[in-house]
Amino acid sequence: MYRIRLHGRGGQGMKTAGRILGSAFFLAGFEVQDAPRYGAERRGAPIFAYVRAGRTPILERGVISRPDLIIVADDHLLAMPGAGVLSGAQPQTAFLIHSHEKPSLWRERLNLQGPVFTLPGLPENELRFRGAACAGGAAALIPELNIDLLAEAVQEELAPLGPELVATNLGVARMAYASLAAHRGAVHEGGPVSAGEYTPPGWLTLACEEPLLSAPAIHAAATSELSQTGLWRTERPIIDGSRCNRCWWLCSTFCPEGAIQVDDERRPRIDYGHCKGCLVCLAQCPAHAISAVPEEEAAAQGETP
Amino acid sequence: MTRKLLTGNGAAAWGARLARIDYLPAFPITPQTEIIETLSNWIEGRELECRMVTMESEHSMLTAAGAAAVTGVRVFTATSSQGLLYATEMLYTVAGWRVPLVMVNVSRGLSSPITLEPDHNDVLAMRDCGFLQLHCATCQEVLDNLLIAYRLAEHPTVRLPVLVNLDGFYLSFTREPVLIPTQAEVDRFLPPFNPGSIRFRGGEPLSEGVAVLEGAAYSYFRYEAHLASLQGIRVYEELGQEFAGLFGRSYTALECYKSEDAEIVFVMIGSFATKAKEAVDRLREAGKKVGLVRPRLVRPFPAAALRGALAGKKGVAVIDQNLSPGKGGILHGELASALYGMAEAPPVLASFVGGLGGRDISSEEFFEIHKAVQRAVSEGVNPSPRLLYTEEELRGVRTMQSVARAADTKQGGGA
Ligand code: SF4
Ligand code: SF4
């Protein structure tokens, strides 16, 4: 059975990529199970999806713990332990990463043993097609899939978007497919866990603990500050100090995250550790002093938030 | 007939569409909303002739569903978790009206703490409300059982509402291949509703839910609802056979998987049961005589069938994806009462609680459950109930607790 896990952020099309792959496998005659996994739906937050494809009806369910292929739509996630991208990676697990960096760099940086492939980062205006790119790239690596199945799957999954967007997605998927076509067969099906030889789950017997500990309450103040929601951001708002006329700080008032503070000199300052990039501030600023820069570009220019 | 990838929610919507539902009162809640969205798109596109009404709460939604059912139209609705609980009063009330309707519940754990992920405490909290309960393990079963549910609810000796349960995420958002029968095929199994005597009309007086202020009359009506529910077992089996004749997929009150010659049997309900099947296959490869018995019907409870399927087994592991605080796994208690006093009752009836709030039960854990039951069988002692939990999970919770300063006796977060 093929077990594929896709990692991205809410809004980056990983559910769609999983569905395209699922459909391609289904069209190739496989039994398929695909599903997205997210908590409260939120744009920009790390999410994942998974696809299983086998020759007999699939009985496994839920999160894939030992993936044969890990697809990463956003290479920033690799640096976030909370995103769990590397979880359960086996020595033979293949990686497909949407990244400007070279595969060798990721192999070294993450100490990966299996094959690593990258999909050249899409230009900014095409980033929204990265789901199609990831599906196209993955299809190239799997011997039972081919370009026709991929095209049919894209058509089937994206038809509601209209013919124009289907065509663009298809173009992106085909390009990704072509770029990796030489590596056909690089992903191998894994086997099930053996009941004869396995690592026991490490059960423990829970003790009855005092309610102060065992009731679901947060006693500490401002714990949300510890959660770096700034990592969800895909667009970075930047205030141009020369244009900001320190109106009556509409940006700060409207920021739903409370991420804009006004400093002693009455200048608005964005807390990039928690700004989620919703750009409400940009829309509110009467002086048009706030612009949006793609996070990847801002990072590439070495601007540390 | 077409075979397509559908989510559990999509399968539920298809089931309702093919049942030619007339009336759909709705209120949104995750993870059920996609069912109503799908149906509303079809209604808007005139692919489904149905009256949909958005209500202000689940309590009103159930009231509307019951009131419509009294007029003899085919009613469908869906909810989940807190929504189901909010409708509790009307679930009991409407069941007492003895009119058919079908409701889907997409299982999701209950507050507190809040979760979006599944377990069976929501649906089992409605165990005693009078609705029949069908529990599905696959997306195909969701579609098929919706069709069967209408026949069951509308059956002249049953005439009770039916709840069809599917697990959030593991079925609701998971696509699997599903055979969608054609409308003509479905019409042969489930013809348009002939309500017979169920026909409340403005001009024809009818009082529903009347008061009976003395015990004998009250008891009579409650006993009758119970007896009608029990008839549901036979009726479900008959319908399952009829369904198999037309569609080739058979449904019985119990699914028995490799349990016939098994010495040790897993018992569980819902979609995690397919994980148990996977574990059964792996354990069989390792030479273990193990199987699975999965009740599809929880109400009425197929006690006789369970006695038959478990007679002579050496050990049974009941895996409950629910927890009744202060008692334990609900299914375990139900099964114990069904097996008590039976000559060939399995000597070991072990209880495992797991899968709460979407927590996974891994293959390795099924292997360990099997091992624990095997040990209990050879030692001749019934093991104490086990709450499935790992050291790694507790480490994760300890981290959360330290962030939350849960152990800090100076409460209020002052540093
Ligand atoms: S984009 Fe602007 S409004 Fe949105 S979170 Fe960031 S600072 Fe606040
Ligand atoms: S809304 Fe614009 S002008 Fe007003 S304080 Fe913010 S950045 Fe400056």
Side-chain angles (χ1 to χ4, degrees):
Chain A
M1 187 194 302
Y2 285 106
R3 296 173 181 84
I4 302 173
R5 216 171 56 206
L6 306 96
H7 293 264
R9 298 167 185 273
Q12 288 180 342
M14 283 306 95
K15 176 179 169 185
T16 308
R19 285 192 162 191
I20 293 171
L21 275 179
S23 276
F25 273 116
F26 185 61
L27 292 165
F30 279 79
E31 294 294 318
V32 170
Q33 188 190 78
D34 64 48
R37 195 78 171 184
Y38 34 66
E41 288 113 294
R42 9 172 230 200
R43 229 181 150 71
I47 64 135
F48 64 97
Y50 51 84
V51 181
R52 289 185 173 90
R55 270 90 178 165
T56 51
I58 295 169
L59 300 172
E60 290 179 10
R61 281 189 186 285
V63 178
I64 289 174
S65 50
R66 276 170 292 270
D68 305 311
L69 170 64
I70 294 177
I71 300 175
V72 190
D74 183 325
D75 58 5
H76 290 96
L77 295 174
L78 286 159
M80 292 168 60
V85 177
L86 300 180
S87 153
Q90 308 290 299
Q92 69 279 8
T93 301
F95 281 79
L96 175 63
I97 308 171
H98 177 260
S99 172
H100 291 286
E101 313 279 9
K102 286 199 164 43
S104 54
L105 182 123
W106 288 114
R107 192 195 314 269
E108 219 168 282
R109 217 183 255 176
L110 303 170
N111 193 18
L112 304 175
Q113 293 163 60
V116 180
F117 306 98
T118 54
L119 286 168
L122 290 165
E124 181 57 30
N125 58 346
E126 284 183 14
L127 267 179
R128 63 204 167 107
F129 305 120
R130 73 174 110 191
C134 288
L141 302 175
I142 293 158
E144 289 87 351
L145 301 183
N146 59 47
I147 192 82
D148 297 331
L149 292 167
L150 174 70
E152 204 179 331
V154 169
Q155 172 71 38
E156 206 159 281
E157 291 305 328
L158 302 180
L161 301 180
E164 222 166 285
L165 275 176
V166 169
T168 319
N169 274 284
L170 201 51
V172 171
R174 279 182 193 279
M175 254 173 33
Y177 185 95
S179 76
L180 293 174
H183 303 285
R184 203 174 169 70
V187 177
H188 300 283
E189 294 179 68
V193 204
S194 153
E197 202 182 313
Y198 63 92
T199 316
W203 281 349
L204 57 71
T205 302
L206 270 182
C208 178
E209 302 184 319
E210 56 163 334
L212 185 59
L213 189 67
S214 61
I218 299 173
H219 303 287
T223 50
S224 52
E225 273 179 20
L226 299 174
S227 177
Q228 292 290 306
T229 46
L231 292 167
W232 301 4
R233 192 175 56 240
T234 54
E235 299 270 336
R236 184 185 299 184
I238 293 176
I239 300 175
D240 178 347
S242 64
R243 296 187 76 164
C244 165
N245 58 18
R246 304 171 207 183
C247 60
W248 50 99
W249 305 289
L250 277 176
C251 54
S252 172
T253 308
F254 279 92
C255 171
E257 297 304 316
I260 306 184
Q261 306 292 319
V262 178
D263 70 11
D264 293 345
E265 279 150 38
R266 303 163 57 235
R267 266 195 304 260
R269 297 265 181 223
I270 299 177
D271 164 14
Y272 289 113
H274 298 92
C275 157
K276 290 177 182 167
C278 67
L279 304 183
V280 166
C281 52
L282 181 148
Q284 289 298 332
C285 174
H288 303 289
I290 306 180
S291 57
V293 177
E295 196 55 32
E296 288 173 10
E297 213 170 276
Q301 287 167 5
E303 287 178 33
T304 41
Chain B
M1 191 160 61
T2 45
R3 193 161 185 266
K4 263 185 82 158
L5 291 175
L6 283 186
T7 60
N9 282 344
W14 265 106
R17 169 178 170 158
L18 290 167
R20 296 182 186 274
I21 57 167
D22 298 305
Y23 183 61
L24 172 67
F27 189 82
I29 183 169
T30 300
Q32 160 279 144
T33 307
E34 183 192 358
I35 299 175
I36 303 297
E37 276 172 5
T38 309
L39 286 168
S40 68
N41 280 334
W42 287 332
I43 292 169
E44 196 183 53
R46 301 217 160 255
E47 289 170 86
L48 175 64
E49 285 297 323
C50 174
R51 174 81 185 273
M52 175 177 160
V53 182
T54 52
M55 309 301 293
E56 75 277 19
S57 74
E58 288 87 353
H59 188 279
S60 310
M61 183 179 93
L62 253 294
T63 310
V70 172
T71 69
V73 297
R74 201 169 263 164
V75 179
F76 175 74
T77 190
T79 188
S80 176
S81 188
Q82 304 298 124
L84 183 72
L85 261 63
Y86 194 45
T88 304
E89 183 189 9
M90 290 315 295
L91 288 167
Y92 277 77
T93 302
V94 166
W97 296 352
R98 299 293 307 273
V99 285
L101 67 92
V102 174
M103 175 175 70
V104 159
N105 181 62
V106 184
S107 263
R108 164 180 154 191
L110 297 170
S111 297
S112 289
I114 299 170
T115 182
L116 298 176
E117 302 246 354
D119 65 39
H120 296 147
N121 261 103
D122 60 350
V123 61
L124 291 178
M126 293 308 122
R127 188 189 63 175
D128 303 333
C129 75
F131 275 55
L132 275 53
Q133 286 195 7
L134 307 182
H135 288 248
C136 303
T138 64
C139 296
Q140 182 74 61
E141 230 176 80
V142 171
L143 192 160
D144 293 348
N145 274 273
L146 260 172
L147 305 176
I148 295 174
Y150 276 102
R151 286 283 304 274
L152 186 59
E154 292 164 6
H155 193 279
T157 43
V158 178
R159 278 230 344 221
L160 282 166
V162 177
L163 183 159
V164 177
N165 198 72
L166 61 126
D167 293 331
F169 288 78
Y170 289 85
L171 285 184
S172 73
F173 299 157
T174 299
R175 294 201 310 176
E176 292 178 341
V178 175
L179 277 163
I180 307 174
T182 63
Q183 187 67 60
E185 287 169 320
V186 171
D187 287 348
R188 273 201 293 281
F189 176 75
L190 178 66
F193 183 28
N194 173 10
S197 62
I198 309 172
R199 47 165 288 122
F200 174 65
R201 295 289 182 278
E204 298 171 32
L206 170 77
S207 300
E208 271 293 358
V210 294
V212 283
L213 299 178
E214 44 98 14
Y218 182 82
S219 302
Y220 169 81
F221 293 117
R222 298 294 290 164
Y223 289 164
E224 282 299 318
H226 167 62
L227 294 169
S229 179
L230 286 175
Q231 291 297 315
I233 300 171
R234 176 184 54 81
V235 174
Y236 183 82
E237 298 275 0
E238 287 169 8
L239 292 170
Q241 269 183 21
E242 191 185 326
F243 191 91
L246 287 166
F247 299 97
R249 296 181 294 281
S250 70
Y251 291 100
T252 45
L254 291 187
E255 181 192 25
C256 296
Y257 184 72
K258 302 188 182 175
S259 64
E260 210 145 294
D261 69 333
E263 292 174 351
I264 290 172
V265 173
F266 300 131
V267 175
M268 61 193 307
I269 55 176
S271 67
F272 273 36
T274 71
K275 292 155 82 78
K277 279 189 184 178
E278 169 74 20
V280 164
D281 286 354
R282 301 286 82 81
L283 285 160
R284 286 263 169 184
E285 279 170 10
K288 311 289 184 192
K289 287 193 157 179
V290 55
L292 163 81
V293 168
R294 171 175 71 93
R296 287 193 179 91
L297 282 180
V298 168
R299 281 294 177 273
F301 192 64
L306 281 162
R307 280 195 290 272
L310 299 176
K313 301 301 173 201
K314 291 185 174 166
V316 172
V318 185
I319 304 163
D320 270 288
Q321 218 180 327
N322 65 77
L323 180 58
S324 173
K327 171 63 171 77
I330 294 170
L331 207 55
H332 180 260
E334 299 250 307
L335 201 62
S337 78
L339 298 177
Y340 183 77
M342 181 177 108
E344 282 187 289
V348 169
L349 183 64
S351 168
F352 297 85
V353 171
L356 302 187
R359 179 203 185 268
D360 201 8
I361 302 179
S362 63
S363 289
E364 288 89 337
E365 289 194 295
F366 281 106
F367 303 158
E368 288 291 288
I369 290 171
H370 174 266
K371 198 184 272 177
V373 174
Q374 213 173 22
R375 196 178 316 121
V377 167
S378 64
E379 289 169 0
V381 196
N382 206 44
S384 20
R386 173 165 281 284
L387 310 173
L388 299 182
Y389 214 62
T390 65
E391 286 157 13
E392 195 187 334
E393 288 177 304
L394 187 60
R395 274 198 297 276
V397 166
R398 290 290 185 243
T399 308
M400 286 167 60
Q401 286 171 325
S402 73
V403 171
R405 296 226 193 120
D408 197 340
T409 44
K410 303 192 300 296
Q411 286 193 32

